[in-house]
Amino acid sequence: MGTHAPILAIAVPLLGGFALPLLARFHKGLRDAWAIVVALFVSVCAGYVASRVLSGEIWVYVLGAKNPADTLAPGGFPIRIMLTVDALSAFLGIIAGIIGPLMFLSLIRFLPEEEGKTLSLTLATLLLAGIMGMAYTGDLFNFFVFLEVTSIAACGIIGFRTWTSRAPEAAFKTMLLYALSGLFFLLGVAFLYGEYGALNMAYVSREIRGTTVDRLALALFLSGLLMKAAAAPMHFWAPDAYGETPPAATPLLVVNTQVSLYGLWRVLFTLYGGVLDRGVGWLVVALGLLTMVVAAFMALVQTDLGRLVAYGAVSQIGYMMLGVGVGLVALPGKPPYALVATQGGVFHMLNDALTVGLLFLCVAAVEWVRGTRDLRELGGLGHSLPEVGLCFLLSSLALAGIPPLNGFASKILIYEGSFGLSPILTAVAVLTSILLLAVFVRAFQGAFLGPRVEVGKKVPWQLLLAMGILAVGIVVFGLVPGFFVEKMVGPAAEALFSRSAYLFAVLRG
């Protein structure tokens, strides 16, 4: 199994998702168990792949051949489909491998049977398969295919609760933006295929010359991936999508957004790394600042706890873009601060998945016991749900970058690296974090403080278990960040600057 771990991490959830409706006809418990088993299997595969790749190896898995060298025609032209997993790809696999099982554990208990439970589990499984495919593929067209798999599955999860007034609207808005995103990306692929007659990322990267067609394709890639990554000013679909999705399923949607950012980094650093100018890096930095500031101010006026957390999640996309964007600006010279900022941006992807994931599970717990997320109708839940209140406070502090939690560990790297490029960047990022702290402290007060309120339901143990695991992760990643930076984050960030190693692993020269 280890030999085929990269493809199994994609194929098993893809096929397993279609098996879920059949299993549901026999026994609902069998369906739930199967969903958990599939997610755990993906985690095992992602962990095994990471154990090999994070040590410095780039795993090139060729479909239909044992030896990657046998797939190259004269001139180094790839003639088969390849999965190319470097440290950054493996890092995204780890994120999906952590969030996937916890999301399924929460979702199988959170959703009532009569509210499309089988449908939502099927869509979530397909979404997980698409995420792993986007992370592992080394082919531009297959990246587009998996991009569309995630888009279809995500829109279904967002809008399947058609009896609510806003879920179909949120799904339609998301579907429209996702369709444009996929169209732009496909057009970019078409331009490059017409120019170079190939779809393999490494081969196209070696041949790319920075022509007008190449730049047009880059503009299309940027537009499509920034749109799906919820970067301002194309972020407006994300708060609706996150807010209307069953909150137990939202953590996987957050990972879906992050893997779109991964696609952006792969295009900019690996595909165009040899011909890119600094202006694109400054564009990413500027959009990152805009995203974090706009989302933080929008969170100020929210009265729905789910939408407030959604805007907080969007703001964190800005920090990732700022960190990696600084590395992109400084790519030619690669000064020390460029690697530090990139490490911060990459590390923040993992920390954001844990932190925002926990926040949404807290929202799920509140909705479970009170039937509403309106802060004007909540209050006093800290007496009846102290563990939920503690998790919400912990994750809120982590989101704002308060030490010694995981959010601080990644944000301090972003602050330090961006300061090397311009102190103004750090100042904006710090002030935005302070604003987010005020927003989430107000939300904590509105939901959990005040006179005691009796609740008629208990939070399911599955939801509490998932929350507890994420809370432990937030603390551990914050207390010993150096270990994770050395073992996981550092290699993933270095992979962005190691374009030549990526090309050599695939093209053998």
Side-chain angles (χ1 to χ4, degrees):
M1 187 186 77
T3 306
H4 304 287
I7 191 63
L8 288 175
I10 302 168
V12 169
L14 192 62
L15 299 175
F18 289 108
L20 279 171
L22 300 177
L23 294 174
R25 290 182 174 273
F26 292 100
H27 194 278
K28 299 298 190 294
L30 183 61
R31 173 205 59 197
D32 296 345
W34 176 249
I36 294 292
V37 167
V38 168
L40 289 173
F41 182 85
V42 172
S43 299
V44 171
C45 289
Y48 178 77
V49 170
S51 69
R52 283 186 50 175
V53 172
L54 291 177
S55 61
E57 175 186 355
I58 297 179
W59 192 342
V60 180
Y61 181 91
V62 184
L63 277 70
K66 294 182 179 181
N67 187 355
D70 296 338
T71 69
L72 300 178
F77 186 86
I79 56 176
R80 292 183 185 270
I81 296 174
M82 297 182 183
L83 303 180
T84 309
V85 187
D86 64 359
L88 184 63
S89 308
F91 187 77
L92 264 293
I94 290 174
I95 296 175
I98 293 173
I99 298 300
L102 298 180
M103 186 274 299
F104 279 105
L105 182 65
S106 305
L107 196 60
I108 60 175
R109 187 66 179 88
F110 180 82
L111 280 179
E113 197 64 53
E114 63 275 10
E115 293 187 3
K117 189 174 183 179
T118 299
L119 172 63
S120 63
L121 290 175
T122 300
L123 292 170
T125 308
L126 297 178
L127 178 58
L128 181 60
I131 289 171
M132 297 303 296
M134 289 175 66
Y136 286 177
T137 187
D139 181 277
L140 283 169
F141 184 76
N142 284 332
F143 186 94
F144 163 75
V145 171
F146 289 119
L147 183 77
E148 290 299 285
V149 170
T150 60
S151 296
I152 294 169
C155 289
I157 294 174
I158 295 165
F160 79 93
R161 298 195 291 183
T162 55
W163 55 91
T164 66
S165 60
R166 298 177 62 175
E169 177 186 349
F172 179 79
K173 185 185 298 184
T174 305
M175 180 181 66
L176 178 62
L177 270 294
Y178 278 6
L180 288 175
S181 171
L183 176 61
F184 288 161
F185 191 90
L186 181 59
L187 286 174
V189 172
F191 279 124
L192 290 185
Y193 183 75
E195 186 84 350
Y196 302 107
L199 296 169
N200 183 275
M201 291 187 193
Y203 181 84
V204 175
S205 177
R206 188 184 69 179
E207 299 298 317
I208 206 164
R209 297 292 180 265
T211 63
T212 301
V213 173
D214 296 337
R215 294 179 181 277
L216 180 58
L218 175 60
L220 291 167
F221 288 141
L222 280 172
S223 300
L225 292 172
L226 286 171
M227 191 179 297
K228 192 166 182 182
M234 298 172 286
H235 69 288
F236 53 88
W237 63 268
D240 287 344
Y242 292 169
E244 298 307 318
T245 302
T250 308
L252 199 59
L253 287 185
V254 174
V255 180
N256 181 37
T257 303
Q258 292 182 351
V259 81
S260 299
L261 267 185
Y262 158 82
L264 182 65
W265 309 148
R266 182 62 71 201
V267 166
L268 295 178
F269 283 87
T270 303
L271 191 61
Y272 282 85
V275 297
L276 203 65
D277 57 48
R278 298 184 65 187
V280 177
W282 278 111
L283 174 64
V284 174
V285 168
L287 292 178
L289 292 178
L290 181 64
T291 302
M292 69 173 73
V293 172
V294 168
F297 274 103
M298 289 300 297
L300 269 174
V301 299
Q302 302 303 314
T303 57
D304 182 285
L305 186 61
R307 289 182 64 83
L308 186 147
V309 173
Y311 275 107
V314 173
S315 72
Q316 302 312 296
I317 297 295
Y319 285 91
M320 301 170 207
M321 293 176 63
L322 173 60
V324 181
V326 169
L328 196 61
V329 171
L331 181 62
K334 195 183 174 182
Y337 69 80
L339 182 59
V340 171
T342 304
Q343 287 178 342
V346 171
F347 195 12
H348 202 61
M349 297 175 79
L350 173 58
N351 290 335
D352 176 62
L354 298 177
T355 304
V356 174
L358 181 54
L359 283 169
F360 276 114
L361 293 187
C362 290
V363 174
V366 170
E367 184 176 327
W368 177 269
V369 300
R370 289 296 305 273
T372 181
R373 302 180 307 191
D374 194 331
L375 288 170
R376 294 167 295 187
E377 301 177 15
L378 298 174
L381 290 177
H383 300 284
S384 304
L385 306 174
E387 62 283 339
V388 178
L390 179 61
C391 286
F392 188 90
L393 180 61
L394 180 74
S395 50
S396 297
L397 296 176
L399 190 79
I402 302 300
L405 303 176
N406 66 338
F408 173 78
S410 51
K411 282 189 174 182
I412 195 66
L413 294 175
I414 296 173
Y415 297 156
E416 180 184 348
S418 59
F419 188 87
L421 185 62
S422 172
I424 296 176
L425 303 178
T426 302
V428 174
V430 171
L431 290 174
T432 304
S433 289
I434 295 173
L435 178 59
L436 283 172
L437 177 62
V439 169
F440 277 87
V441 167
R442 178 180 66 87
F444 174 77
Q445 178 187 18
F448 296 98
L449 300 184
R452 175 184 290 273
V453 175
E454 297 298 330
V455 296
K457 300 171 67 176
K458 292 185 178 180
V459 180
W461 68 265
Q462 296 94 331
L463 193 56
L464 291 176
L465 176 60
M467 291 167 60
I469 294 173
L470 289 175
V472 170
I474 287 173
V475 174
V476 170
F477 279 90
L479 291 177
V480 286
F483 173 81
F484 297 102
V485 170
E486 178 185 354
K487 299 297 183 180
M488 295 194 308
V489 178
E494 283 282 1
L496 285 175
F497 295 95
S498 302
R499 173 174 169 268
S500 58
Y502 185 96
L503 268 59
F504 181 83
V506 176
L507 304 176
R508 305 292 164 177

